[in-house]
Amino acid sequence: MIRIIFFGTHTLATTVLNELIAAPDFKILAVVTQPDKPVGRGNKVEAPLIKKFAEQHAVPVLQFAKLKEDAVAQLQSLNADLFIVAEYGLLIPTSVLALPSHGVLNVHPSLLPKYRGASPIQSAILNGAEKTGVSIMLLDKEMDHGPILAQEQCVIDDHDITPTLEAKLGRLGAALLARVIPGWVAGKIQGREQDHTQATFCKKLSREDGRIDWTKSAEEIYRMWRAYLPWPGVFTMWNGKRLKLTSLSLKEGGDDGRLTLACGTSAIIIERLQLEGKKELDAEAFLRGYPSFVGSALN
């Protein structure tokens, strides 16, 4: 029985954890995740998705704002063979990396060394990549820098949005990790160093990243919308107010009568939108309420 401590926070991490819990050869000693945080307009405090999932499966949950001395001591006391990290979102210091006898493995949703960093799924969609994948790697002190144990490719469909691609990569990564762990622990799998000269990096997203530049092509704006669902979303400014464009599609033949906005090249169809302080509406209802929107300038 391989004793594992799992570090994760969001949807992809939950998919991976589910695979490990279901496997008979692994024992999940604890799940480490971020603290509960206020979310939404009401600032209601909510637990991370993976915390709720772990509690449903009677797995102990540890929450640390940072992995300092008290966290290191607590983790060490559990005497795990292996740590697994997936979509955790916090820096893991060398004091933690040194704890388990078989190191710390990370499930990263890209084909490393491409898209190191915080937004690999969004970046792949945004850049119009035709494929991406998952990498199982051994963590070291640098970001997404360690040796690769295994990789598997995944096709990006034309209409994939971040949640659908994340779901595919989560399933792919979970199955790949479950196959890799026994061989790694038994010493049958060796890591290979990444080609660091080919590394590309992606940043942590901010709310302002969703602001549309209307000089870009319709295809670029559509990819932006796909990449930034559900957060930060895409928006523009109209009459001094923030206007979220919650559902878009590319203009095709026979689209007359639908709400379209001109871009740097071609135009894009607006299906649903939400003005700051108001509820979300479909395009037809929005135009009934705001007929002056037609022909107005956006910025």
Side-chain angles (χ1 to χ4, degrees):
M1 184 73 69
I2 300 171
R3 295 162 54 86
I4 294 170
I5 295 176
F6 188 93
F7 294 67
T9 302
H10 302 297
T11 305
L12 184 143
T14 304
T15 302
V16 175
L17 177 61
N18 182 53
E19 180 82 17
L20 298 183
I21 288 174
D25 296 333
F26 311 138
K27 179 175 178 57
I28 308 301
L29 303 176
V31 166
V32 179
T33 190
Q34 297 185 36
D36 299 358
K37 293 179 180 177
V39 297
R41 295 169 69 179
N43 281 332
K44 181 182 177 183
V45 175
E46 281 199 12
L49 176 65
I50 203 165
K51 178 182 178 180
K52 301 173 187 176
F53 180 83
E55 289 175 343
Q56 290 170 0
H57 290 79
V59 176
V61 176
L62 304 174
Q63 292 176 279
F64 305 110
K66 291 185 178 180
L67 297 172
K68 295 185 176 181
E69 292 179 5
D70 58 334
V72 173
Q74 204 168 348
L75 293 169
Q76 187 173 28
S77 70
L78 294 173
N79 195 30
D81 302 310
L82 183 68
F83 291 175
I84 300 295
V85 177
E87 216 178 36
Y88 178 49
L90 294 178
L91 178 68
I92 298 181
T94 53
S95 56
V96 173
L97 296 178
L99 291 177
S101 55
H102 293 285
V104 182
L105 301 187
N106 180 39
V107 182
H108 186 77
S110 81
L111 296 173
L112 291 170
K114 199 168 183 65
Y115 300 129
R116 293 178 179 175
S119 55
I121 298 174
Q122 295 91 336
S123 297
I125 295 174
L126 193 65
N127 293 341
E130 295 181 352
K131 66 181 179 181
T132 185
V134 289
S135 302
I136 310 299
M137 58 167 292
L138 181 66
L139 278 186
D140 62 17
K141 63 182 180 180
E142 296 185 46
M143 183 180 65
D144 301 330
H145 173 276
I148 300 293
L149 276 59
Q151 290 182 313
E152 198 157 326
Q153 289 188 5
C154 174
V155 171
I156 302 176
D157 295 327
D158 289 342
H159 299 295
D160 262 329
I161 57 177
T162 287
T164 61
L165 185 55
E166 182 179 43
K168 289 194 287 189
L169 292 171
R171 292 190 296 269
L172 196 66
L176 184 60
L177 178 68
R179 296 196 299 271
V180 164
I181 290 174
W184 169 252
V185 170
K188 296 178 181 178
I189 294 176
Q190 301 296 317
R192 58 173 175 82
E193 186 174 3
Q194 297 183 40
D195 182 353
H196 304 299
T197 65
Q198 297 300 308
T200 62
F201 297 87
C202 50
K203 65 177 185 175
K204 185 176 182 179
L205 297 175
S206 71
R207 193 179 183 210
E208 193 62 23
D209 286 318
R211 187 166 188 156
I212 295 173
D213 174 359
W214 292 104
T215 66
K216 291 187 174 182
S217 69
E219 178 62 43
E220 287 176 297
I221 293 170
Y222 181 61
R223 290 202 306 262
M224 183 178 173
W225 171 75
R226 290 166 53 210
Y228 292 161
L229 275 175
W231 193 89
V234 295
F235 74 95
T236 189
M237 300 301 293
W238 179 60
N239 288 348
K241 291 190 174 182
R242 187 185 184 93
L243 180 64
K244 293 174 67 177
L245 306 181
T246 55
S247 183
L248 306 180
S249 60
L250 289 175
K251 185 173 173 60
E252 300 174 355
D255 288 324
D256 294 342
R258 302 177 72 181
L259 176 57
T260 60
L261 295 180
C263 309
T265 60
S266 189
I268 199 159
I269 295 172
I270 312 301
E271 296 175 342
R272 298 186 65 83
L273 58 176
Q274 182 178 13
L275 190 61
E276 183 179 335
K278 304 294 183 180
K279 67 179 182 179
E280 182 185 5
L281 298 171
D282 63 37
E284 185 178 352
F286 183 85
L287 290 177
R288 284 199 303 268
Y290 304 97
S292 64
F293 184 72
V294 177
S296 60
L298 302 174
N299 51 52

